[in-house]
Amino acid sequence: MFTLLMLASTEVRACKCSIKVREFNHAVKASSLVFLGKLVEISQVSDSPIFFSATYKFVPLKTWRGESADTLMLQTGSNCNIRLQAGSTYVLYTNPGQELSICHRIISQNIQAEIEKLDRYFVKPRPLQRRNTN
């Protein structure tokens, strides 16, 4: 006796992103917006088994690159979506108008180490002053 199983298939697009895009040096160079922010509100949520989208409202606490603002609204909505938690603090690397995804470098743990790394990266070195040897 044969049993035939019919599986309902749903088109699911796999999310592919290079691990390199989440590495510190690559993320800094590729992002025009790098900031530490507290996620204060999640709105316009659409949630299904294969798709999630939301608008995230952040209060920036520190900005290394990009325009300073009182709040930043970022969206997710691709098949590479990311779910963030309201009330949590993140270091985000992105570009204005680009949807947040799992392909971005988004740090929620060991934030202090990430802040220190960014502070070192964005410090403008002072030119060495020559000493008079007269």
Side-chain angles (χ1 to χ4, degrees):
M1 181 191 273
F2 291 96
T3 305
L4 179 62
L5 294 175
M6 301 284 292
L7 299 175
S9 65
T10 305
E11 182 180 342
V12 177
R13 296 181 200 147
C15 179
K16 293 183 181 181
C17 50
S18 165
I19 291 175
K20 183 179 179 182
V21 300
R22 290 184 293 216
E23 291 175 355
F24 179 80
N25 287 330
H26 185 275
V28 168
K29 291 174 185 172
S31 302
S32 60
L33 179 59
V34 179
F35 72 99
L36 169 70
K38 183 167 185 162
L39 179 54
V40 295
E41 184 179 319
I42 302 172
S43 61
Q44 299 178 3
V45 177
S46 175
D47 197 0
S48 76
I50 60 171
F51 185 80
F52 172 80
S53 67
T55 300
Y56 295 123
K57 181 178 180 179
F58 288 92
V59 172
L61 305 172
K62 184 169 185 174
T63 302
W64 288 273
R65 179 178 282 158
E67 295 289 322
S68 293
D70 292 334
T71 60
L72 289 169
M73 303 296 280
L74 301 175
Q75 295 184 334
T76 184
S78 68
N79 60 325
C80 298
N81 57 55
I82 186 161
R83 295 171 193 251
L84 303 178
Q85 296 293 315
S88 296
T89 302
Y90 299 91
V91 177
L92 293 105
Y93 299 72
T94 190
N95 294 295
Q98 188 177 45
E99 290 183 341
L100 285 181
S101 74
I102 61 172
C103 295
H104 289 93
R105 182 176 177 89
I106 300 173
I107 305 298
S108 62
Q109 297 178 352
N110 299 323
I111 288 179
Q112 190 57 43
E114 192 75 6
I115 290 169
E116 290 169 8
K117 195 184 295 188
L118 284 163
D119 285 345
R120 283 192 305 272
Y121 185 90
F122 283 99
V123 166
K124 294 181 182 178
R126 296 180 186 154
L128 291 175
Q129 297 201 0
R130 294 184 181 226
R131 298 167 75 186
N132 279 338
T133 56
N134 294 346

